[in-house]
Amino acid sequence: MSAGAAGQPSDYKVPEEVKAAGFQICGDELGSLVEHHDLKKLNFHGGVVGIAEKLSTSTNNGLTTDSDSDLNHRQEIYGINKFTESEGRSFLVFVWEALQDMTLMILGVCAFVSLIVGITMEGWPKGAHDGLGIVSSILLVVFVTATSDYRQSLQFKDLDKEKQKIAIQVTRNGYRQKMSIYDLLPGDIVHLAIGDQVPADGLFISGFSVLIDESSLTGESEPVMVSAENPFLLSGTKVQDGSCKMMVTTVGMRTQWGKLMATLSEGGDDETPLQVKLNGVATIIGKIGLFFAVVTFAVLVQGLLNRKWQEGSHWRWSGDEALEMLEYFAVAVTIVVVAVPEGLPLAVTLSLAFAMKKMMNDKALVRHLAACETMGSATSICSDKTGTLTTNHMTVVKSCICFNVKEVSKPNDASSLCFDLPDSALKLLLQSIFNNTGGEVVVNKDGKSEILGTPTDTALLEFGLSLGGDFQSERQASKLVKVEPFNSVKKKMGVVLALPGGGFRAHCKGASEIILATCDKVINVNGEIVPLDISSINLLTDTINQFASEALRTLCLAYMELENGFSSDKPIPVSGYTCIGIVGIKDPVRPGVKESVAVCRSAGITVRMVTGDNINTAKAIARECGILTDGIAIEGPDFREKSQEELLELIPKIQVMARSSPLDKHTLVKHLRTSFGEVVAVTGDGTNDAPALHEADIGLAMGIAGTEVAKESADVIILDDNFSTIVTVAKWGRSVYVNIQKFVQFQLTVNVVALIVNFSSACLTGTAPLTAVQLLWVNMIMDTLGALALATEPPNNDLMKRSPVGRKGNFISNVMWRNILGQSVYQFLVIWLLQTKGEAIFLLEGPDSDLILNTLIFNTFVFCQVFNEISSREMEEINVFKGILNNYVFVVVIGCTALFQIIIVEFLGTFANTSPLTLPQWFLSIVFGFLGMPVAAALKMIPV
């Protein structure tokens, strides 16, 4: 190639540091080559093989690394497969955001004016007490809010890291192994299959029928065919069909995906539906509070003006009177602060974040916050069978080869089968097993054989090895010409082999009735190929049904000679096959599934099993799991033929859907949601499950067996693929919902009482018993501290004995209204009693009697909230102390609230407008608060 203008491939010169490290191509050149799909540049470098040589790797054995220093050199030259993370916001940023609250800013202005007027009139420090009291309260609110938000941001960052932990199959040092995508380096050989996300930029080495979904990068919905002619694979794209080997060329920030990520700003979860709903509630309450605040301010000012008018001093204003006017304004603003329940969204966030963290320990990774609360309302679960209800550890336990039905669950059973089979049939069987597979038998780093692949492929390969087969010998004896990988629509896999003696042979395997329908011949007991007559079809069908009734998954293996030759651009034939035999695969039901299904039933959640298996297999396993009881089982093809009217009658009764396609699953979920108002959770592990996962209210992807496409479509990833974990997620979801209800009940009670007390007192007596500083402390108790205490209650088993809330359930229930109104009436009567009869009850007299009485009112009000917080732990149960010590956060919050109340009353009187109380006064304050608990218990006995 002659030298050309600048930018031509022939101009490329290897940087000296790259040469010194033992490589012949730099990272920028590799990045440019793949990103721009530059075939000319690729050919200049010698194609894929040439690139491999320049990267000091092998397309067969991958990287050869003798030591960590080899990997370090490669990392220094080409980088690591991680994206640069945007810096998290510092604590001071959260402090600044908390200070932006408009009501706090107004209070800040009040505090500033109060300081100026107070110091001018009374000097320092006496004149600064009121102003500094408000400033201290504001700072406390700001720092508690900022600390809470900062902790949540750190928690979400940790969860984001968990989401990105992906392992992939890689060949390195000559053997295949699982490796984190973060450990990939240029030169590694990656094995990709349907549903995988491409972990780095790279070049296609070999594979079949590879279709890549590049919509995440390009926005184009049409998949791209990748082959030797178009070998470029980009990080972040997804394998839609086929399988291949890829050589990594570019990693991390040099990939196109990395560059795209660098341009995106840090994102976060949108508000959840419950947060939106509660924000609406907060807005309405805030407007009501604003109205009461304006009226209260007007009444207090009118009282002051009337007094001055009667004194004839309305034209003369002293500093004390100006401060009094300012205090009225501060009280009005603080009423707004108390009325606006900003703790509602905080409680949702706290409860959801707490649940997310705990659910990680229970093997459930929540990808979207809203899923936590939605799962609590779930009324229906549509579950996969394989790996969710069953262990996903499959073994061939029965076979019917050449009409010879045999148990093969033990090694000596398989070896005896070899003697019973004709040689020709055994050779065809082993050729089918070892070539028509997505799995492999490899030698691991310990020198031992290891089977890689899907559980079904693994079971068949184990069966083939137990028959005395040799995987490598079989693969080398013939050449794969075409592969059509298994997918859940076709329910079969096919390959075409070029035979060593010339000619072509096709093999297919898949769902027994589908493969049997493509056959017109069968191998008999003597190894002869005979026509598949009615009696043979009946015998094989009976065998399939017998295997299925024993809860075995059945697969049929078949082949055909392609006598007219074969071209790889043609599809594999779909008829004219010869049946080799049928195998029955056992996939045991997971321990605890039957009990978990029973828990769901008692919780009002209907469990449906949706599977691609034969209907008899599906029914047998569904009965074993306790899913199929008095409902019906239906096959996908029958389901598709039903009219809309028939579906509306049929769907509520369906407990099992067998031989289903992804579209059937999607249709079932859509009808359950739209026609019956169900809140539906769906499990899925494959790429084709993505539509149903998107359609569902909660998509649950399997973490072990699930493809990256399924995980991307899901709201929750079940890390251990266990149905019992799904029940745990539902329990946590209900816990979140109930915890937020408890907090709302608690907060609305405080809201109602604080508003009515200050408003009625201002109207009737011309003064407000609760000052701005005191109201800010009450606000702290009910917002941040209340949210911490009630929103972090762990779930209990009683939650799964109630019916689900469902889609149309009211968030603020009748039970909550009963508790809120009843407790509010009690607290208001107590405060009103103290206001009107307090001096007589406590024998108060002298100049400080008003201050002591207001302190008593404040103290009683706070302890009413403390004991109401304990009562709010249960909305219907009378025993509110059950399990209280299991929630140390609750105990600490209650303890700290009581401790700070003592400090405020006894030692911060100047700032908080309080006076130290005597022991009898303390005792009565606490007793008045405590009496709210028997009142709450009595209220719970009133039916609603």
Side-chain angles (χ1 to χ4, degrees), residues 637-753:
D638 295 338
F639 179 77
R640 273 167 246 151
E641 290 173 4
K642 302 293 181 186
S643 66
Q644 288 295 320
E645 291 74 21
E646 289 173 317
L647 284 176
L648 288 174
E649 186 182 344
L650 183 72
I651 282 175
K653 302 172 187 173
I654 292 176
Q655 290 182 327
V656 176
M657 188 186 286
R659 285 287 175 245
S660 67
S661 71
L663 187 60
D664 297 331
K665 195 173 186 178
H666 178 268
T667 305
L668 176 65
V669 172
K670 189 172 183 179
H671 271 291
L672 284 169
R673 292 185 70 238
T674 56
S675 303
F676 299 97
E678 300 262 10
V679 178
V680 187
V682 170
T683 73
D685 56 17
T687 305
N688 291 310
D689 287 319
L693 290 169
H694 274 304
E695 177 65 35
D697 295 283
I698 313 102
L700 304 157
M702 300 301 105
I704 299 170
T707 65
E708 290 310 314
V709 174
K711 291 177 192 175
E712 283 292 316
S713 305
D715 302 297
V716 180
I717 298 172
I718 306 299
L719 298 175
D720 60 357
D721 289 16
N722 196 334
F723 185 82
S724 302
T725 305
I726 296 170
V727 177
T728 303
V729 173
K731 193 197 301 186
W732 271 109
R734 290 188 174 195
S735 175
V736 166
Y737 198 88
V738 170
N739 283 351
I740 296 167
Q741 282 186 313
K742 291 174 188 174
F743 174 71
V744 168
Q745 175 184 297
F746 167 67
Q747 185 167 50
L748 289 185
T749 304
V750 188
N751 279 133
V752 170
V753 177

Side-chain angles (χ1 to χ4, degrees), residues 595-664:
E595 293 79 2
S596 297
V597 170
V599 168
C600 285
R601 185 169 283 114
S602 68
I605 302 171
T606 305
V607 181
R608 294 175 171 87
M609 187 173 90
V610 184
T611 177
D613 277 348
N614 172 297
I615 192 162
N616 291 321
T617 307
K619 283 161 75 173
I621 289 179
R623 285 195 188 97
E624 194 176 340
C625 295
I627 291 173
L628 185 57
T629 51
D630 54 353
I632 63 169
I634 191 171
E635 288 190 311
D638 295 338
F639 179 77
R640 273 167 246 151
E641 290 173 4
K642 302 293 181 186
S643 66
Q644 288 295 320
E645 291 74 21
E646 289 173 317
L647 284 176
L648 288 174
E649 186 182 344
L650 183 72
I651 282 175
K653 302 172 187 173
I654 292 176
Q655 290 182 327
V656 176
M657 188 186 286
R659 285 287 175 245
S660 67
S661 71
L663 187 60
D664 297 331

Side-chain angles (χ1 to χ4, degrees), residues 145 438 464:
T145 305

